[in-house]
Amino acid sequence: FMKLPPTEILLRWMNYHLEKAGYSKKVKNFGGDIKDATAYNYLFAQIAPNTCKRSDETNPKKLAEVVLAEADKIKCKKFVNVKDITIGHKKLNLAFMAHTFNTRPALVVEETIDLSDLADDPSQQLEARTY
């Protein structure tokens, strides 16, 4: 996972949250796929449900304004403006999502793993431990 390019990691993170939010499309890039601001609308409501609300707005420009206002509530409004979203400026939208990921990843470890079984047993022979 960590060998993936940063763009791919952010897309996976975004699509993970969008799927949990019930968004039916898969975002494949930070250009054309987010120009209508709908993915951002779902994303912010998902990662900050107590602060951000999903809008019913259908006009992309107005929805981008709403999305940026919601992002500002959780201190994630950086790098982009309404025009950058609606024209699909790839680099600025990537920076926007990178900042959002770093500020509000909204990831929870679902299961803890007991590593005590993996500890070296001093009674084992070196040869047995190498296999």
Side-chain angles (χ1 to χ4, degrees), residues 5-14 27-32 34 40 43 76 78-80 84-85 88-102:
T7 302
E8 185 63 31
I9 292 171
L10 290 171
L11 286 169
R12 284 185 178 202
W13 169 78
M14 188 174 187
V27 175
K28 296 177 184 135
N29 61 64
F30 291 107
I34 54 87
Y40 287 157
L43 178 69
C76 290
K78 266 194 171 179
F79 305 112
V80 294
D84 297 324
I85 293 173
H89 193 293
K90 289 180 183 180
K91 289 183 180 181
L92 291 177
N93 280 292
L94 173 63
F96 178 46
M97 282 298 94
H99 176 70
T100 301
F101 174 80
N102 288 326

PDB file of all heavy atoms in Angstrom, residues 5-14 27-32 34 40 43 76 78-80 84-85 88-102:
ATOM      1  N   PRO A   5       1.622   5.483  -5.502  1.00  0.00           N
ATOM      2  CA  PRO A   5       1.825   6.930  -5.608  1.00  0.00           C
ATOM      3  C   PRO A   5       0.821   7.670  -4.711  1.00  0.00           C
ATOM      4  O   PRO A   5      -0.295   7.180  -4.480  1.00  0.00           O
ATOM      5  CB  PRO A   5       1.560   7.235  -7.076  1.00  0.00           C
ATOM      6  CG  PRO A   5       1.410   5.939  -7.775  1.00  0.00           C
ATOM      7  CD  PRO A   5       1.226   4.872  -6.756  1.00  0.00           C
ATOM      8  N   PRO A   6       1.198   8.838  -4.212  1.00  0.00           N
ATOM      9  CA  PRO A   6       0.301   9.600  -3.333  1.00  0.00           C
ATOM     10  C   PRO A   6      -1.090   9.839  -3.924  1.00  0.00           C
ATOM     11  O   PRO A   6      -2.086   9.772  -3.215  1.00  0.00           O
ATOM     12  CB  PRO A   6       1.040  10.924  -3.113  1.00  0.00           C
ATOM     13  CG  PRO A   6       2.470  10.587  -3.355  1.00  0.00           C
ATOM     14  CD  PRO A   6       2.487   9.500  -4.387  1.00  0.00           C
ATOM     15  N   THR A   7      -1.155  10.084  -5.224  1.00  0.00           N
ATOM     16  CA  THR A   7      -2.453  10.314  -5.861  1.00  0.00           C
ATOM     17  C   THR A   7      -3.353   9.101  -5.703  1.00  0.00           C
ATOM     18  O   THR A   7      -4.534   9.225  -5.381  1.00  0.00           O
ATOM     19  CB  THR A   7      -2.271  10.642  -7.357  1.00  0.00           C
ATOM     20  OG1 THR A   7      -1.441  11.791  -7.471  1.00  0.00           O
ATOM     21  CG2 THR A   7      -3.593  10.916  -8.032  1.00  0.00           C
ATOM     22  N   GLU A   8      -2.792   7.923  -5.905  1.00  0.00           N
ATOM     23  CA  GLU A   8      -3.569   6.681  -5.791  1.00  0.00           C
ATOM     24  C   GLU A   8      -4.022   6.437  -4.347  1.00  0.00           C
ATOM     25  O   GLU A   8      -5.144   6.001  -4.107  1.00  0.00           O
ATOM     26  CB  GLU A   8      -2.747   5.498  -6.304  1.00  0.00           C
ATOM     27  CG  GLU A   8      -3.506   4.200  -6.341  1.00  0.00           C
ATOM     28  CD  GLU A   8      -4.704   4.203  -7.287  1.00  0.00           C
ATOM     29  OE1 GLU A   8      -4.671   4.898  -8.307  1.00  0.00           O
ATOM     30  OE2 GLU A   8      -5.684   3.501  -6.984  1.00  0.00           O
ATOM     31  N   ILE A   9      -3.163   6.745  -3.395  1.00  0.00           N
ATOM     32  CA  ILE A   9      -3.536   6.587  -1.984  1.00  0.00           C
ATOM     33  C   ILE A   9      -4.708   7.508  -1.653  1.00  0.00           C
ATOM     34  O   ILE A   9      -5.673   7.096  -1.020  1.00  0.00           O
ATOM     35  CB  ILE A   9      -2.333   6.870  -1.065  1.00  0.00           C
ATOM     36  CG1 ILE A   9      -1.281   5.771  -1.243  1.00  0.00           C
ATOM     37  CG2 ILE A   9      -2.769   6.971   0.394  1.00  0.00           C
ATOM     38  CD1 ILE A   9       0.038   6.051  -0.551  1.00  0.00           C
ATOM     39  N   LEU A  10      -4.638   8.751  -2.112  1.00  0.00           N
ATOM     40  CA  LEU A  10      -5.724   9.702  -1.844  1.00  0.00           C
ATOM     41  C   LEU A  10      -7.017   9.293  -2.535  1.00  0.00           C
ATOM     42  O   LEU A  10      -8.098   9.439  -1.957  1.00  0.00           O
ATOM     43  CB  LEU A  10      -5.317  11.113  -2.253  1.00  0.00           C
ATOM     44  CG  LEU A  10      -4.245  11.751  -1.376  1.00  0.00           C
ATOM     45  CD1 LEU A  10      -3.760  13.046  -1.987  1.00  0.00           C
ATOM     46  CD2 LEU A  10      -4.759  11.971   0.039  1.00  0.00           C
ATOM     47  N   LEU A  11      -6.920   8.784  -3.745  1.00  0.00           N
ATOM     48  CA  LEU A  11      -8.125   8.322  -4.444  1.00  0.00           C
ATOM     49  C   LEU A  11      -8.751   7.144  -3.701  1.00  0.00           C
ATOM     50  O   LEU A  11      -9.973   7.069  -3.556  1.00  0.00           O
ATOM     51  CB  LEU A  11      -7.815   7.946  -5.889  1.00  0.00           C
ATOM     52  CG  LEU A  11      -7.573   9.110  -6.845  1.00  0.00           C
ATOM     53  CD1 LEU A  11      -7.018   8.623  -8.167  1.00  0.00           C
ATOM     54  CD2 LEU A  11      -8.863   9.907  -7.057  1.00  0.00           C
ATOM     55  N   ARG A  12      -7.929   6.223  -3.233  1.00  0.00           N
ATOM     56  CA  ARG A  12      -8.458   5.083  -2.473  1.00  0.00           C
ATOM     57  C   ARG A  12      -9.118   5.551  -1.184  1.00  0.00           C
ATOM     58  O   ARG A  12     -10.177   5.072  -0.814  1.00  0.00           O
ATOM     59  CB  ARG A  12      -7.352   4.079  -2.146  1.00  0.00           C
ATOM     60  CG  ARG A  12      -6.962   3.250  -3.320  1.00  0.00           C
ATOM     61  CD  ARG A  12      -5.966   2.206  -2.910  1.00  0.00           C
ATOM     62  NE  ARG A  12      -5.617   1.369  -4.030  1.00  0.00           N
ATOM     63  CZ  ARG A  12      -5.124   0.157  -3.901  1.00  0.00           C
ATOM     64  NH1 ARG A  12      -4.901  -0.350  -2.711  1.00  0.00           N
ATOM     65  NH2 ARG A  12      -4.836  -0.552  -4.959  1.00  0.00           N
ATOM     66  N   TRP A  13      -8.477   6.483  -0.489  1.00  0.00           N
ATOM     67  CA  TRP A  13      -9.040   7.029   0.747  1.00  0.00           C
ATOM     68  C   TRP A  13     -10.389   7.707   0.458  1.00  0.00           C
ATOM     69  O   TRP A  13     -11.372   7.467   1.155  1.00  0.00           O
ATOM     70  CB  TRP A  13      -8.054   8.026   1.365  1.00  0.00           C
ATOM     71  CG  TRP A  13      -8.615   8.837   2.473  1.00  0.00           C
ATOM     72  CD1 TRP A  13      -8.820   8.434   3.764  1.00  0.00           C
ATOM     73  CD2 TRP A  13      -9.069  10.190   2.404  1.00  0.00           C
ATOM     74  NE1 TRP A  13      -9.364   9.461   4.485  1.00  0.00           N
ATOM     75  CE2 TRP A  13      -9.522  10.550   3.688  1.00  0.00           C
ATOM     76  CE3 TRP A  13      -9.128  11.122   1.384  1.00  0.00           C
ATOM     77  CZ2 TRP A  13     -10.032  11.814   3.967  1.00  0.00           C
ATOM     78  CZ3 TRP A  13      -9.634  12.379   1.665  1.00  0.00           C
ATOM     79  CH2 TRP A  13     -10.086  12.713   2.947  1.00  0.00           C
ATOM     80  N   MET A  14     -10.403   8.509  -0.580  1.00  0.00           N
ATOM     81  CA  MET A  14     -11.628   9.230  -0.928  1.00  0.00           C
ATOM     82  C   MET A  14     -12.736   8.256  -1.313  1.00  0.00           C
ATOM     83  O   MET A  14     -13.870   8.372  -0.830  1.00  0.00           O
ATOM     84  CB  MET A  14     -11.338  10.206  -2.069  1.00  0.00           C
ATOM     85  CG  MET A  14     -12.476  11.138  -2.384  1.00  0.00           C
ATOM     86  SD  MET A  14     -11.932  12.346  -3.612  1.00  0.00           S
ATOM     87  CE  MET A  14     -13.364  13.418  -3.635  1.00  0.00           C
ATOM     88  N   VAL A  27     -14.471   7.818  -7.934  1.00  0.00           N
ATOM     89  CA  VAL A  27     -13.638   8.927  -8.378  1.00  0.00           C
ATOM     90  C   VAL A  27     -12.310   8.348  -8.863  1.00  0.00           C
ATOM     91  O   VAL A  27     -11.637   7.636  -8.129  1.00  0.00           O
ATOM     92  CB  VAL A  27     -13.415   9.950  -7.242  1.00  0.00           C
ATOM     93  CG1 VAL A  27     -12.448  11.034  -7.670  1.00  0.00           C
ATOM     94  CG2 VAL A  27     -14.738  10.554  -6.810  1.00  0.00           C
ATOM     95  N   LYS A  28     -11.958   8.644 -10.117  1.00  0.00           N
ATOM     96  CA  LYS A  28     -10.738   8.095 -10.714  1.00  0.00           C
ATOM     97  C   LYS A  28      -9.658   9.150 -10.904  1.00  0.00           C
ATOM     98  O   LYS A  28      -8.516   8.820 -11.213  1.00  0.00           O
ATOM     99  CB  LYS A  28     -11.060   7.439 -12.054  1.00  0.00           C
ATOM    100  CG  LYS A  28     -11.987   6.251 -11.910  1.00  0.00           C
ATOM    101  CD  LYS A  28     -12.354   5.661 -13.253  1.00  0.00           C
ATOM    102  CE  LYS A  28     -13.346   4.543 -13.039  1.00  0.00           C
ATOM    103  NZ  LYS A  28     -14.457   4.566 -13.936  1.00  0.00           N
ATOM    104  N   ASN A  29     -10.038  10.425 -10.741  1.00  0.00           N
ATOM    105  CA  ASN A  29      -9.067  11.508 -10.893  1.00  0.00           C
ATOM    106  C   ASN A  29      -9.563  12.739 -10.150  1.00  0.00           C
ATOM    107  O   ASN A  29     -10.716  12.803  -9.741  1.00  0.00           O
ATOM    108  CB  ASN A  29      -8.822  11.809 -12.377  1.00  0.00           C
ATOM    109  CG  ASN A  29     -10.087  12.258 -13.069  1.00  0.00           C
ATOM    110  OD1 ASN A  29     -10.661  13.302 -12.750  1.00  0.00           O
ATOM    111  ND2 ASN A  29     -10.550  11.471 -14.034  1.00  0.00           N
ATOM    112  N   PHE A  30      -8.661  13.699  -9.988  1.00  0.00           N
ATOM    113  CA  PHE A  30      -9.033  14.932  -9.298  1.00  0.00           C
ATOM    114  C   PHE A  30      -9.340  16.057 -10.281  1.00  0.00           C
ATOM    115  O   PHE A  30      -9.252  17.225  -9.940  1.00  0.00           O
ATOM    116  CB  PHE A  30      -7.917  15.343  -8.325  1.00  0.00           C
ATOM    117  CG  PHE A  30      -7.799  14.416  -7.164  1.00  0.00           C
ATOM    118  CD1 PHE A  30      -6.740  13.536  -7.060  1.00  0.00           C
ATOM    119  CD2 PHE A  30      -8.768  14.392  -6.185  1.00  0.00           C
ATOM    120  CE1 PHE A  30      -6.637  12.666  -5.994  1.00  0.00           C
ATOM    121  CE2 PHE A  30      -8.687  13.521  -5.118  1.00  0.00           C
ATOM    122  CZ  PHE A  30      -7.622  12.657  -5.015  1.00  0.00           C
ATOM    123  N   GLY A  31      -9.713  15.680 -11.492  1.00  0.00           N
ATOM    124  CA  GLY A  31     -10.093  16.654 -12.511  1.00  0.00           C
ATOM    125  C   GLY A  31     -11.568  16.555 -12.803  1.00  0.00           C
ATOM    126  O   GLY A  31     -12.415  17.036 -12.046  1.00  0.00           O
ATOM    127  N   GLY A  32     -11.890  15.901 -13.899  1.00  0.00           N
ATOM    128  CA  GLY A  32     -13.270  15.804 -14.364  1.00  0.00           C
ATOM    129  C   GLY A  32     -14.220  15.106 -13.412  1.00  0.00           C
ATOM    130  O   GLY A  32     -15.412  15.421 -13.380  1.00  0.00           O
ATOM    131  N   ILE A  34     -14.528  15.351 -10.281  1.00  0.00           N
ATOM    132  CA  ILE A  34     -14.989  16.129  -9.119  1.00  0.00           C
ATOM    133  C   ILE A  34     -15.513  17.513  -9.511  1.00  0.00           C
ATOM    134  O   ILE A  34     -15.884  18.299  -8.646  1.00  0.00           O
ATOM    135  CB  ILE A  34     -13.875  16.249  -8.054  1.00  0.00           C
ATOM    136  CG1 ILE A  34     -12.569  16.812  -8.638  1.00  0.00           C
ATOM    137  CG2 ILE A  34     -13.580  14.922  -7.416  1.00  0.00           C
ATOM    138  CD1 ILE A  34     -12.539  18.275  -8.617  1.00  0.00           C
ATOM    139  N   TYR A  40     -17.220  15.784  -3.325  1.00  0.00           N
ATOM    140  CA  TYR A  40     -16.800  16.527  -2.132  1.00  0.00           C
ATOM    141  C   TYR A  40     -17.961  16.697  -1.157  1.00  0.00           C
ATOM    142  O   TYR A  40     -17.783  16.629   0.063  1.00  0.00           O
ATOM    143  CB  TYR A  40     -16.255  17.903  -2.515  1.00  0.00           C
ATOM    144  CG  TYR A  40     -14.906  17.910  -3.173  1.00  0.00           C
ATOM    145  CD1 TYR A  40     -14.524  18.968  -3.977  1.00  0.00           C
ATOM    146  CD2 TYR A  40     -13.990  16.875  -2.990  1.00  0.00           C
ATOM    147  CE1 TYR A  40     -13.282  19.012  -4.576  1.00  0.00           C
ATOM    148  CE2 TYR A  40     -12.744  16.908  -3.591  1.00  0.00           C
ATOM    149  CZ  TYR A  40     -12.390  17.986  -4.376  1.00  0.00           C
ATOM    150  OH  TYR A  40     -11.159  18.029  -4.964  1.00  0.00           O
ATOM    151  N   LEU A  43     -18.213  13.506   0.620  1.00  0.00           N
ATOM    152  CA  LEU A  43     -17.016  13.235   1.408  1.00  0.00           C
ATOM    153  C   LEU A  43     -17.016  14.002   2.728  1.00  0.00           C
ATOM    154  O   LEU A  43     -16.798  13.405   3.792  1.00  0.00           O
ATOM    155  CB  LEU A  43     -15.760  13.587   0.608  1.00  0.00           C
ATOM    156  CG  LEU A  43     -14.443  13.382   1.364  1.00  0.00           C
ATOM    157  CD1 LEU A  43     -14.185  11.895   1.598  1.00  0.00           C
ATOM    158  CD2 LEU A  43     -13.290  14.019   0.609  1.00  0.00           C
ATOM    159  N   CYS A  76     -10.289  22.628   6.746  1.00  0.00           N
ATOM    160  CA  CYS A  76      -9.708  21.950   5.585  1.00  0.00           C
ATOM    161  C   CYS A  76      -9.757  22.789   4.322  1.00  0.00           C
ATOM    162  O   CYS A  76      -9.399  22.308   3.253  1.00  0.00           O
ATOM    163  CB  CYS A  76     -10.436  20.620   5.334  1.00  0.00           C
ATOM    164  SG  CYS A  76     -10.095  19.377   6.579  1.00  0.00           S
ATOM    165  N   LYS A  78      -8.259  24.803   2.004  1.00  0.00           N
ATOM    166  CA  LYS A  78      -6.958  25.305   1.560  1.00  0.00           C
ATOM    167  C   LYS A  78      -6.765  24.956   0.099  1.00  0.00           C
ATOM    168  O   LYS A  78      -7.262  23.943  -0.371  1.00  0.00           O
ATOM    169  CB  LYS A  78      -5.831  24.651   2.365  1.00  0.00           C
ATOM    170  CG  LYS A  78      -5.391  25.436   3.557  1.00  0.00           C
ATOM    171  CD  LYS A  78      -4.078  24.918   4.076  1.00  0.00           C
ATOM    172  CE  LYS A  78      -3.592  25.882   5.129  1.00  0.00           C
ATOM    173  NZ  LYS A  78      -2.361  25.478   5.720  1.00  0.00           N
ATOM    174  N   PHE A  79      -6.027  25.780  -0.575  1.00  0.00           N
ATOM    175  CA  PHE A  79      -5.541  25.540  -1.933  1.00  0.00           C
ATOM    176  C   PHE A  79      -6.557  25.759  -3.045  1.00  0.00           C
ATOM    177  O   PHE A  79      -6.161  26.043  -4.164  1.00  0.00           O
ATOM    178  CB  PHE A  79      -4.941  24.132  -2.093  1.00  0.00           C
ATOM    179  CG  PHE A  79      -3.853  23.834  -1.112  1.00  0.00           C
ATOM    180  CD1 PHE A  79      -4.037  22.892  -0.121  1.00  0.00           C
ATOM    181  CD2 PHE A  79      -2.647  24.513  -1.173  1.00  0.00           C
ATOM    182  CE1 PHE A  79      -3.028  22.617   0.793  1.00  0.00           C
ATOM    183  CE2 PHE A  79      -1.637  24.256  -0.264  1.00  0.00           C
ATOM    184  CZ  PHE A  79      -1.833  23.297   0.723  1.00  0.00           C
ATOM    185  N   VAL A  80      -7.856  25.581  -2.822  1.00  0.00           N
ATOM    186  CA  VAL A  80      -8.817  25.688  -3.914  1.00  0.00           C
ATOM    187  C   VAL A  80      -9.858  26.766  -3.664  1.00  0.00           C
ATOM    188  O   VAL A  80     -10.135  27.127  -2.525  1.00  0.00           O
ATOM    189  CB  VAL A  80      -9.565  24.355  -4.181  1.00  0.00           C
ATOM    190  CG1 VAL A  80      -8.631  23.293  -4.685  1.00  0.00           C
ATOM    191  CG2 VAL A  80     -10.315  23.881  -2.965  1.00  0.00           C
ATOM    192  N   ASP A  84     -11.586  26.560  -9.115  1.00  0.00           N
ATOM    193  CA  ASP A  84     -10.663  25.420  -9.195  1.00  0.00           C
ATOM    194  C   ASP A  84     -11.407  24.091  -9.152  1.00  0.00           C
ATOM    195  O   ASP A  84     -11.036  23.132  -9.821  1.00  0.00           O
ATOM    196  CB  ASP A  84      -9.647  25.464  -8.051  1.00  0.00           C
ATOM    197  CG  ASP A  84      -8.767  26.696  -8.110  1.00  0.00           C
ATOM    198  OD1 ASP A  84      -8.421  27.135  -9.218  1.00  0.00           O
ATOM    199  OD2 ASP A  84      -8.429  27.216  -7.026  1.00  0.00           O
ATOM    200  N   ILE A  85     -12.456  24.041  -8.353  1.00  0.00           N
ATOM    201  CA  ILE A  85     -13.259  22.816  -8.279  1.00  0.00           C
ATOM    202  C   ILE A  85     -14.045  22.629  -9.570  1.00  0.00           C
ATOM    203  O   ILE A  85     -14.002  21.559 -10.182  1.00  0.00           O
ATOM    204  CB  ILE A  85     -14.203  22.837  -7.059  1.00  0.00           C
ATOM    205  CG1 ILE A  85     -13.394  22.788  -5.759  1.00  0.00           C
ATOM    206  CG2 ILE A  85     -15.200  21.673  -7.123  1.00  0.00           C
ATOM    207  CD1 ILE A  85     -14.214  22.978  -4.495  1.00  0.00           C
ATOM    208  N   GLY A  88     -12.093  21.669 -12.544  1.00  0.00           N
ATOM    209  CA  GLY A  88     -11.369  20.412 -12.359  1.00  0.00           C
ATOM    210  C   GLY A  88      -9.863  20.569 -12.391  1.00  0.00           C
ATOM    211  O   GLY A  88      -9.163  19.781 -13.012  1.00  0.00           O
ATOM    212  N   HIS A  89      -9.348  21.582 -11.696  1.00  0.00           N
ATOM    213  CA  HIS A  89      -7.902  21.811 -11.642  1.00  0.00           C
ATOM    214  C   HIS A  89      -7.259  20.672 -10.841  1.00  0.00           C
ATOM    215  O   HIS A  89      -7.356  20.621  -9.621  1.00  0.00           O
ATOM    216  CB  HIS A  89      -7.605  23.168 -11.000  1.00  0.00           C
ATOM    217  CG  HIS A  89      -6.205  23.621 -11.186  1.00  0.00           C
ATOM    218  ND1 HIS A  89      -5.124  23.001 -10.613  1.00  0.00           N
ATOM    219  CD2 HIS A  89      -5.708  24.652 -11.912  1.00  0.00           C
ATOM    220  CE1 HIS A  89      -4.024  23.618 -10.952  1.00  0.00           C
ATOM    221  NE2 HIS A  89      -4.348  24.635 -11.739  1.00  0.00           N
ATOM    222  N   LYS A  90      -6.620  19.745 -11.557  1.00  0.00           N
ATOM    223  CA  LYS A  90      -6.135  18.500 -10.948  1.00  0.00           C
ATOM    224  C   LYS A  90      -5.150  18.717  -9.803  1.00  0.00           C
ATOM    225  O   LYS A  90      -5.279  18.116  -8.741  1.00  0.00           O
ATOM    226  CB  LYS A  90      -5.486  17.604 -12.002  1.00  0.00           C
ATOM    227  CG  LYS A  90      -6.465  16.999 -12.957  1.00  0.00           C
ATOM    228  CD  LYS A  90      -5.770  16.123 -13.976  1.00  0.00           C
ATOM    229  CE  LYS A  90      -6.772  15.578 -14.961  1.00  0.00           C
ATOM    230  NZ  LYS A  90      -6.158  14.718 -15.962  1.00  0.00           N
ATOM    231  N   LYS A  91      -4.151  19.559 -10.007  1.00  0.00           N
ATOM    232  CA  LYS A  91      -3.118  19.730  -8.982  1.00  0.00           C
ATOM    233  C   LYS A  91      -3.661  20.408  -7.728  1.00  0.00           C
ATOM    234  O   LYS A  91      -3.326  20.016  -6.610  1.00  0.00           O
ATOM    235  CB  LYS A  91      -1.928  20.494  -9.544  1.00  0.00           C
ATOM    236  CG  LYS A  91      -1.128  19.669 -10.532  1.00  0.00           C
ATOM    237  CD  LYS A  91       0.093  20.409 -11.016  1.00  0.00           C
ATOM    238  CE  LYS A  91       0.856  19.529 -12.001  1.00  0.00           C
ATOM    239  NZ  LYS A  91       2.060  20.174 -12.485  1.00  0.00           N
ATOM    240  N   LEU A  92      -4.491  21.411  -7.901  1.00  0.00           N
ATOM    241  CA  LEU A  92      -5.032  22.100  -6.731  1.00  0.00           C
ATOM    242  C   LEU A  92      -6.035  21.224  -5.976  1.00  0.00           C
ATOM    243  O   LEU A  92      -6.077  21.223  -4.747  1.00  0.00           O
ATOM    244  CB  LEU A  92      -5.659  23.432  -7.123  1.00  0.00           C
ATOM    245  CG  LEU A  92      -4.651  24.493  -7.594  1.00  0.00           C
ATOM    246  CD1 LEU A  92      -5.370  25.757  -8.042  1.00  0.00           C
ATOM    247  CD2 LEU A  92      -3.633  24.818  -6.511  1.00  0.00           C
ATOM    248  N   ASN A  93      -6.826  20.450  -6.712  1.00  0.00           N
ATOM    249  CA  ASN A  93      -7.756  19.540  -6.048  1.00  0.00           C
ATOM    250  C   ASN A  93      -7.015  18.406  -5.347  1.00  0.00           C
ATOM    251  O   ASN A  93      -7.426  17.953  -4.279  1.00  0.00           O
ATOM    252  CB  ASN A  93      -8.778  18.992  -7.046  1.00  0.00           C
ATOM    253  CG  ASN A  93      -9.873  19.999  -7.307  1.00  0.00           C
ATOM    254  OD1 ASN A  93     -10.676  20.297  -6.448  1.00  0.00           O
ATOM    255  ND2 ASN A  93      -9.877  20.553  -8.507  1.00  0.00           N
ATOM    256  N   LEU A  94      -5.905  17.962  -5.923  1.00  0.00           N
ATOM    257  CA  LEU A  94      -5.069  16.964  -5.257  1.00  0.00           C
ATOM    258  C   LEU A  94      -4.504  17.542  -3.958  1.00  0.00           C
ATOM    259  O   LEU A  94      -4.542  16.889  -2.906  1.00  0.00           O
ATOM    260  CB  LEU A  94      -3.929  16.528  -6.185  1.00  0.00           C
ATOM    261  CG  LEU A  94      -2.868  15.616  -5.570  1.00  0.00           C
ATOM    262  CD1 LEU A  94      -3.463  14.290  -5.121  1.00  0.00           C
ATOM    263  CD2 LEU A  94      -1.741  15.382  -6.572  1.00  0.00           C
ATOM    264  N   ALA A  95      -4.015  18.772  -4.009  1.00  0.00           N
ATOM    265  CA  ALA A  95      -3.492  19.423  -2.800  1.00  0.00           C
ATOM    266  C   ALA A  95      -4.593  19.599  -1.754  1.00  0.00           C
ATOM    267  O   ALA A  95      -4.367  19.395  -0.555  1.00  0.00           O
ATOM    268  CB  ALA A  95      -2.875  20.772  -3.161  1.00  0.00           C
ATOM    269  N   PHE A  96      -5.785  19.947  -2.200  1.00  0.00           N
ATOM    270  CA  PHE A  96      -6.938  20.095  -1.310  1.00  0.00           C
ATOM    271  C   PHE A  96      -7.240  18.781  -0.600  1.00  0.00           C
ATOM    272  O   PHE A  96      -7.431  18.728   0.610  1.00  0.00           O
ATOM    273  CB  PHE A  96      -8.136  20.572  -2.146  1.00  0.00           C
ATOM    274  CG  PHE A  96      -9.429  20.744  -1.400  1.00  0.00           C
ATOM    275  CD1 PHE A  96      -9.497  21.391  -0.176  1.00  0.00           C
ATOM    276  CD2 PHE A  96     -10.619  20.288  -1.964  1.00  0.00           C
ATOM    277  CE1 PHE A  96     -10.704  21.563   0.482  1.00  0.00           C
ATOM    278  CE2 PHE A  96     -11.832  20.458  -1.324  1.00  0.00           C
ATOM    279  CZ  PHE A  96     -11.877  21.092  -0.094  1.00  0.00           C
ATOM    280  N   MET A  97      -7.235  17.683  -1.341  1.00  0.00           N
ATOM    281  CA  MET A  97      -7.521  16.378  -0.739  1.00  0.00           C
ATOM    282  C   MET A  97      -6.367  15.891   0.136  1.00  0.00           C
ATOM    283  O   MET A  97      -6.587  15.269   1.163  1.00  0.00           O
ATOM    284  CB  MET A  97      -7.847  15.337  -1.810  1.00  0.00           C
ATOM    285  CG  MET A  97      -9.251  15.469  -2.354  1.00  0.00           C
ATOM    286  SD  MET A  97     -10.541  15.209  -1.091  1.00  0.00           S
ATOM    287  CE  MET A  97     -10.872  16.890  -0.539  1.00  0.00           C
ATOM    288  N   ALA A  98      -5.134  16.206  -0.241  1.00  0.00           N
ATOM    289  CA  ALA A  98      -3.989  15.834   0.599  1.00  0.00           C
ATOM    290  C   ALA A  98      -4.079  16.559   1.945  1.00  0.00           C
ATOM    291  O   ALA A  98      -3.871  15.955   3.007  1.00  0.00           O
ATOM    292  CB  ALA A  98      -2.683  16.164  -0.105  1.00  0.00           C
ATOM    293  N   HIS A  99      -4.417  17.832   1.901  1.00  0.00           N
ATOM    294  CA  HIS A  99      -4.576  18.590   3.148  1.00  0.00           C
ATOM    295  C   HIS A  99      -5.736  18.036   3.975  1.00  0.00           C
ATOM    296  O   HIS A  99      -5.622  17.884   5.194  1.00  0.00           O
ATOM    297  CB  HIS A  99      -4.793  20.073   2.841  1.00  0.00           C
ATOM    298  CG  HIS A  99      -5.057  20.888   4.054  1.00  0.00           C
ATOM    299  ND1 HIS A  99      -4.088  21.153   4.990  1.00  0.00           N
ATOM    300  CD2 HIS A  99      -6.196  21.469   4.513  1.00  0.00           C
ATOM    301  CE1 HIS A  99      -4.615  21.867   5.973  1.00  0.00           C
ATOM    302  NE2 HIS A  99      -5.891  22.068   5.697  1.00  0.00           N
ATOM    303  N   THR A 100      -6.824  17.711   3.326  1.00  0.00           N
ATOM    304  CA  THR A 100      -7.984  17.148   4.027  1.00  0.00           C
ATOM    305  C   THR A 100      -7.612  15.807   4.659  1.00  0.00           C
ATOM    306  O   THR A 100      -7.942  15.547   5.822  1.00  0.00           O
ATOM    307  CB  THR A 100      -9.176  16.980   3.065  1.00  0.00           C
ATOM    308  OG1 THR A 100      -9.497  18.264   2.512  1.00  0.00           O
ATOM    309  CG2 THR A 100     -10.397  16.417   3.771  1.00  0.00           C
ATOM    310  N   PHE A 101      -6.928  14.960   3.913  1.00  0.00           N
ATOM    311  CA  PHE A 101      -6.489  13.658   4.431  1.00  0.00           C
ATOM    312  C   PHE A 101      -5.595  13.833   5.658  1.00  0.00           C
ATOM    313  O   PHE A 101      -5.751  13.126   6.654  1.00  0.00           O
ATOM    314  CB  PHE A 101      -5.749  12.896   3.335  1.00  0.00           C
ATOM    315  CG  PHE A 101      -5.138  11.607   3.791  1.00  0.00           C
ATOM    316  CD1 PHE A 101      -5.916  10.465   3.924  1.00  0.00           C
ATOM    317  CD2 PHE A 101      -3.788  11.528   4.083  1.00  0.00           C
ATOM    318  CE1 PHE A 101      -5.357   9.262   4.351  1.00  0.00           C
ATOM    319  CE2 PHE A 101      -3.217  10.331   4.502  1.00  0.00           C
ATOM    320  CZ  PHE A 101      -4.005   9.204   4.640  1.00  0.00           C
ATOM    321  N   ASN A 102      -4.666  14.770   5.588  1.00  0.00           N
ATOM    322  CA  ASN A 102      -3.755  14.995   6.713  1.00  0.00           C
ATOM    323  C   ASN A 102      -4.444  15.638   7.911  1.00  0.00           C
ATOM    324  O   ASN A 102      -4.056  15.399   9.052  1.00  0.00           O
ATOM    325  CB  ASN A 102      -2.568  15.849   6.278  1.00  0.00           C
ATOM    326  CG  ASN A 102      -1.618  15.092   5.395  1.00  0.00           C
ATOM    327  OD1 ASN A 102      -1.419  13.896   5.559  1.00  0.00           O
ATOM    328  ND2 ASN A 102      -1.029  15.775   4.426  1.00  0.00           N
TER     329      ASN A 102
END
